[in-house]
Amino acid sequence: MRLARPLENLIDQLQKLPSIGPKTAQRLALYILKAPVEQAGQLARAIIEVQERVFPCSICGNLTDVEPCTICSNPGRAVSSLCIVEEASDIISIERTGYNGKYFVLNRSFRLMEDSDLTDMNLQPLIKTLKNGEVQEVILALNPNIDGEVMSRYLASIVSQHDVKVTRLAHGLPIGGDIEFADEITLRRALEGRKEL
Ligand SMILES: [Zn+2]
């Protein structure tokens, strides 16, 4: 039996999302079909709005709908420390530790087996921030796996050219894990016990 074309189309689109297999896509599509029309409309608008209105902050790369983002424009945050993370979602985890400095988001993860070149990363906004001379310490908070390690070494070599102390999160984070999913206590300890690189 062939499904109605719009339904088939919705299932196809949902299946493109991460962690959504054919069965889940079908279940979600049927749920959306039966949902009140306002709810389906809100979902459709939310998807369009996130694409149209959310962009990386030009200073730190955090995902924002205002320029600069609320962290960069907050005068209460310490400018002397800059925490480098892979993804904007990592900021949420670091924020839970009580960290009150600024951030730089790479918005890209590095895969040693797939990528060979780190030099194509846009680090100009980071270098511009370092040249201001206000940052005294850069904390590398990349994922504790081999890819994060390679990226950390590369970033440390760039940051250290600007006469800035470079530290990294202490071990205690599960190797091969993901900062985003680290629990608050482990992450706070890792932040407090950071080591100079
Ligand atoms: Zn920002």
Side-chain angles (χ1 to χ4, degrees):
M1 187 200 88
R2 203 181 143 275
L3 288 171
R5 208 186 178 126
L7 189 55
E8 211 168 56
N9 183 28
L10 181 56
I11 293 170
D12 284 349
Q13 295 306 319
L14 290 168
Q15 253 190 93
K16 292 176 186 168
L17 300 173
S19 322
I20 306 282
K23 282 224 164 104
T24 309
Q26 201 174 323
R27 204 163 56 237
L28 289 172
L30 289 171
Y31 174 83
I32 293 167
L33 178 65
K34 290 177 193 159
V37 69
E38 310 84 66
Q39 192 186 340
Q42 280 167 359
L43 175 65
R45 278 192 297 279
I47 291 171
I48 292 169
E49 199 178 47
V50 81
Q51 284 258 320
E52 285 180 350
R53 298 191 43 200
V54 179
F55 54 90
C57 168
S58 68
I59 300 173
C60 74
N62 184 18
L63 295 177
T64 179
D65 60 343
V66 287
E67 171 67 23
C69 76
T70 51
I71 293 180
C72 285
S73 62
N74 182 347
R77 300 197 69 115
V79 290
S80 57
S81 89
L82 187 77
C83 181
I84 302 186
V85 293
E86 285 179 32
E87 305 287 347
S89 52
D90 296 332
I91 291 184
I92 300 164
S93 309
I94 305 278
E95 284 292 279
R96 285 201 295 262
T97 68
Y99 171 78
N100 193 39
K102 304 262 176 151
Y103 292 94
F104 183 76
V105 188
L106 297 168
N107 279 319
R108 138 176 188 168
S109 47
F110 169 70
R111 300 278 171 267
L112 192 60
M113 302 305 282
E114 298 158 23
D115 280 303
S116 54
D117 200 5
L118 277 171
T119 55
D120 63 351
M121 234 181 341
N122 179 20
L123 295 176
Q124 283 317 310
L126 171 66
I127 291 165
K128 200 172 158 196
T129 303
L130 295 175
K131 279 186 175 162
N132 280 346
E134 291 174 326
V135 177
Q136 287 162 20
E137 179 184 1
V138 165
I139 304 163
L140 297 170
L142 308 187
N143 291 326
N145 53 35
I146 187 71
D147 301 317
E149 182 68 30
V150 173
M151 179 97 93
S152 291
R153 297 276 158 194
Y154 175 69
L155 291 168
S157 70
I158 290 176
V159 173
S160 56
Q161 293 167 17
H162 296 269
D163 197 24
V164 174
K165 184 166 129 185
V166 187
T167 58
R168 64 182 311 167
L169 296 188
H171 293 294
L173 290 169
I175 302 298
D178 201 311
I179 293 275
E180 186 181 349
F181 303 116
D183 71 273
E184 186 183 329
I185 297 167
T186 305
L187 197 53
R188 188 185 299 138
R189 280 191 190 146
L191 191 62
E192 284 167 359
R194 61 188 182 271
K195 302 269 189 312
E196 194 155 356
L197 208 74

